[in-house]
Amino acid sequence: MLDQLIRQLDDADPARRKQAVIALGKSRDASALKPLANVYRSDPEPEIRELARKAGVYIKQHAEVIPDVPATTPPMPKPAAPVGESYTQRKMREMEEAKRAAELAQEPRFETQEADTRRPIRGREYQVPKEARERAAKAVDAALSYNLAGDDAKAMKNLTEAISLNPNLINDAYFNSITAGVTGLDGDAAMDMILDRGKRKEFEVTAKNVTKQAKIDKHMEVATKSSWTDVMWEGVIYTLIVIIGPVLAGLVATQTAMNYFNAIAGSAQVTIEPSIATELQSSLMAITAATLIPVGIISGIIGVGGLLLELVLVHFLAVSVFRGHGTIQHLLSTLLGFDNRWLPVMFLIQYLMTAIFFVSAGSPITYCFTIILVILTLYVLGKTSGKIGEAYDFGGMKGCLAYNLSNVIVIGAITAVMYLLFNALGSAMVQSLFQLNPEMLPPLQ
C-alpha cells in the first residue's frame, strides 16, 4: 500500500498526487519522509509542496513520546468527621460539600497554570467525552482544509473550537503542525495566539484582509487579460448583428405578407377592394433589401451607441457606488460576447413568429412563439445581470442594480433630449406658421 502511494506521487494528475501526500502523512510511516521531501523540492504545485512539508513535519513530530501522565489525579482522602458532630451538623456539612463540588464542576474544562488563564497544560491528560473528541477532530480537519484553501481566518476559528472541545490536542503533533502552518508560529507562541482572544481577533482581521486582497488580485488578473482588441472584434460582430438582423426581419415580413395577400386575393371568403389590394402589393414590392439597409444602419448606430453608453454607466456605478473591482475592457468583452451568442437566436425566433403569423392567418400558435421570445428575453436580462456581477466580483444582485440603474439613467436622458428636441421643433414650426400667415396672430388688446 505504501509503495503504491509513493508511486502515486509521480502521477500527472495534481489531485491524485495530493491524495497520496495526505495518505502518506496519515500513515505516520517514517519511510515516507524521503519521498515527501522529494515532492517538497520538485512538485510544480505550490499547494502540494506545502502539504508535503506539513505531512513530513507531522510524521516526525508524531514519533515524539508524550510523557505518560495518569489520566486522573488520585482522589483526595475525605476529611475525618469532627468529633462530637451531631446528625444535623453532619448533614449540613455534606450538603455544603456537595454544593462546592457542583460549583467546581461548572468551572471551565481547562486546568490552568495561572488563575487568569484558560490554557491547557502540555503533557497533561484530560478526560474528554468521545463526542467532543470526534467534533474536535472534524474541526482540525476543517482547519487544514481552510488553510490549504488560503482562508486562515476560518482555519483559526476551527482550531480554537478544536482545542476548546479537546484540550488533549495540545499534545498532538498533527494539531501542532497545522497550528504552526496557520499562525506562522511554533509551539507555545502559536498556542498563545489561539487562546488569547485579543491576538486571535487581530489575526482573524488580518487574515480576512489578506484573503480578500488575494481574491481581488486573482479576479483582476483575469479581468486585465481582456484587451481593447478583444472588445473591437466583439464590437464588430455585434454591429453586424444589429444591422443585418432588422434588415432580414423586414425582408421576412415583406415576403410572407406578399404571399399571404396573393393567396387570399382569389379567395371568395375574403373580400378586399381591388384598389386596396393593388396598393398593398405595390407598397410591399417597393420594400427591398436596398431600401431596408438604411434602416439597418440606423438601427446599428442606435444599438451600438446605446449599449456603449449603458455599459460606461454600468462601469461607473459598479466601481464608484457598489465598490466592485474590474475593467471596462473586461465588461465590454464579456457582455458583447454574451449578446453575440444570444441575439441571433432571438432574431431567428422573431423571423419564425412573423412567418407563421402570415402563413397561419394569425393563428393562436403565434402566441407560443411570443411566449418563448418573452421568456428568452427575461433569461438574457437575468444572465446579463449575472455577467456584470462576475465582471466586478460582487454578485448578481449588485449586477442587477447597476444594470437597471444604468437603464433608468439612459432612458431618462433620452426622454429629456426628445422632449427638448420636440419642444424646439414645435416652437419653430409655430413661429414659421405665424410668419407665413400673419392673420393667424391673436389680436392685440
Side-chain angles (χ1 to χ4, degrees):
M1 181 65 179
L2 188 67
D3 294 338
Q4 181 181 353
L5 291 173
I6 292 175
R7 288 194 298 272
Q8 191 174 327
L9 294 175
D10 297 324
D11 196 286
D13 186 1
R16 286 182 54 79
R17 297 202 304 275
K18 181 178 177 180
Q19 292 174 356
V21 170
I22 294 174
L24 288 172
K26 290 182 178 180
S27 71
R28 305 175 186 174
D29 194 324
S31 59
L33 289 174
K34 186 175 180 180
L36 289 172
N38 292 333
V39 172
Y40 176 69
R41 287 192 297 268
S42 60
D43 196 279
E45 296 291 334
E47 178 184 345
I48 297 178
R49 292 200 302 271
E50 178 63 15
L51 189 61
R53 183 191 69 81
K54 292 179 179 179
V57 171
Y58 171 61
I59 292 174
K60 290 180 181 179
Q61 291 182 347
H62 206 82
E64 298 176 2
V65 179
I66 298 174
D68 187 12
V69 181
T72 56
T73 55
M76 296 292 293
K78 289 186 177 182
V83 180
E85 183 180 42
S86 66
Y87 175 80
T88 302
Q89 291 174 333
R90 180 167 60 82
K91 285 295 183 182
M92 292 292 293
R93 178 175 56 79
E94 290 176 353
M95 290 174 62
E96 189 67 28
E97 291 175 355
K99 181 180 179 181
R100 177 59 182 160
E103 291 176 353
L104 291 174
Q106 293 177 357
E107 291 183 359
R109 66 171 65 91
F110 294 160
E111 298 184 35
T112 59
Q113 292 173 317
E114 299 178 5
D116 58 345
T117 65
R118 297 181 61 203
R119 179 196 178 94
I121 302 173
R122 289 190 184 276
R124 179 172 295 181
E125 288 287 337
Y126 297 86
Q127 291 292 338
V128 179
K130 181 180 178 181
E131 181 183 355
R133 292 198 305 271
E134 292 175 351
R135 288 174 57 195
K138 291 180 179 178
V140 172
D141 291 338
L144 177 59
S145 299
Y146 283 124
N147 176 238
L148 294 176
D151 194 345
D152 286 336
K154 291 183 179 179
M156 173 64 78
K157 289 183 178 180
N158 280 273
L159 289 175
T160 305
E161 179 184 1
I163 194 66
S164 65
L165 289 169
N166 184 7
N168 291 314
L169 289 175
I170 195 173
N171 303 314
D172 185 82
Y174 179 58
F175 176 81
N176 282 281
S177 66
I178 297 176
T179 301
V182 171
T183 62
L185 303 172
D186 292 321
D188 291 340
M191 196 59 62
D192 286 340
M193 180 169 287
I194 292 176
L195 298 176
D196 188 290
R197 179 177 297 178
K199 293 180 179 179
R200 186 172 70 244
K201 188 68 176 177
E202 182 180 354
F203 175 86
E204 289 177 358
V205 171
T206 304
K208 285 180 180 179
N209 292 334
V210 170
T211 302
K212 182 179 179 179
Q213 187 59 47
K215 184 181 178 183
I216 293 173
D217 293 341
K218 184 177 180 180
H219 174 72
M220 290 302 296
E221 183 179 354
V222 175
T224 52
K225 289 181 180 179
S226 299
S227 64
W228 285 111
T229 304
D230 301 328
V231 175
M232 182 185 69
W233 284 113
E234 296 291 353
V236 169
I237 296 172
Y238 180 84
T239 303
L240 292 175
I241 291 173
V242 295
I243 290 176
I244 297 173
V247 172
L248 291 179
L251 291 175
V252 169
T254 301
Q255 189 61 44
T256 52
M258 287 180 63
N259 295 337
Y260 170 72
F261 287 124
N262 290 334
I264 66 174
S267 175
Q269 298 179 355
V270 180
T271 58
I272 300 179
E273 292 292 334
S275 59
I276 297 177
T278 303
E279 185 177 351
L280 288 173
Q281 290 179 351
S282 301
S283 300
L284 292 172
M285 290 178 64
I287 300 175
T288 62
T291 58
L292 290 173
I293 287 176
V295 177
I297 294 175
I298 295 173
S299 171
I301 294 173
I302 294 174
V304 173
L307 182 66
L308 289 177
L309 175 61
E310 183 180 48
L311 294 187
V312 168
L313 287 172
V314 167
H315 176 72
F316 173 77
L317 292 171
V319 174
S320 303
V321 178
F322 298 108
R323 303 299 179 185
H325 302 277
T327 63
I328 185 67
Q329 301 99 303
H330 184 55
L331 175 67
L332 289 170
S333 178
T334 300
L335 288 188
L336 286 173
F338 176 74
D339 288 343
N340 290 342
R341 288 193 297 271
W342 284 102
L343 276 179
V345 177
M346 298 177 70
F347 274 122
L348 180 60
I349 295 175
Q350 184 180 355
Y351 302 156
L352 293 174
M353 182 176 67
T354 303
I356 291 174
F357 175 80
F358 285 107
V359 171
S360 63
S363 171
I365 194 174
T366 310
Y367 298 126
C368 297
F369 286 90
T370 304
I371 294 172
I372 293 173
L373 191 60
V374 170
I375 293 174
L376 184 60
T377 302
L378 293 175
Y379 169 78
V380 170
L381 291 175
K383 290 295 289 185
T384 299
S385 300
K387 292 290 183 181
I388 294 172
E390 292 175 9
Y392 293 95
D393 196 29
F394 53 30
M397 182 60 69
K398 289 185 178 180
C400 180
L401 290 174
Y403 183 56
N404 288 326
L405 281 175
S406 66
N407 282 329
V408 170
I409 294 172
V410 170
I411 293 172
I414 292 174
T415 302
V417 170
M418 295 297 291
Y419 172 78
L420 294 174
L421 180 62
F422 282 116
N423 191 31
L425 289 175
S427 299
M429 290 177 63
V430 170
Q431 290 178 4
S432 300
L433 183 62
F434 288 156
Q435 289 175 359
L436 292 174
N437 300 282
E439 297 179 356
M440 297 181 62
L441 290 172
L444 296 177
Q445 299 296 333

